[in-house]
Amino acid sequence: MGDRVIVKVKDEEEKNVGGIVLASNAKEKPQTGEVVAVGQGARDANGNLIPMTVAKGTEVFFDKYSGTNLKYEGQEYLVLHEKDILAYIK
């Protein structure tokens, strides 16, 4: 997987405005999740491995429009490059 990570996307809480439930297409895309798998890292121009700085189990914020969405066994996942992780959540 190189410098990619798989993130289990957290479900956003359902929001409503004045008692009106928003349609699913009007909701914002979730931007937080838990890292469930991590690649071995990228390679530099000389072929040396650049290790990953994120670890499995870390909660992260990620860029809104990054990665590739996947659905597996009813759960949403996002495959993205480590550089698309904006921050770690403690």
Side-chain angles (χ1 to χ4, degrees):
M1 289 185 354
D3 67 337
R4 290 183 177 86
V5 297
I6 298 177
V7 175
K8 182 178 178 183
V9 178
K10 292 215 174 184
D11 293 329
E12 289 293 312
E13 295 178 13
E14 191 167 296
K15 298 179 182 176
N16 60 42
V17 179
I20 300 170
V21 177
L22 297 174
S24 61
N25 60 354
K27 294 179 186 175
E28 292 220 7
K29 182 179 173 185
Q31 290 180 264
T32 60
E34 179 182 347
V35 175
V36 295
V38 178
Q40 73 275 11
R43 299 262 176 199
D44 66 13
N46 296 321
N48 299 316
L49 184 66
I50 303 169
M52 301 287 277
T53 58
V54 66
K56 184 177 175 182
T58 305
E59 288 192 51
V60 295
F61 281 108
F62 48 84
D63 192 25
K64 190 178 219 176
Y65 300 106
S66 63
T68 301
N69 292 308
L70 300 174
K71 195 168 190 174
Y72 180 72
E73 295 183 353
Q75 178 62 49
E76 299 254 343
Y77 295 94
L78 185 67
V79 179
L80 49 91
H81 290 276
E82 185 180 34
K83 67 180 181 177
D84 293 325
I85 294 174
L86 302 175
Y88 302 134
I89 304 170
K90 292 212 173 202

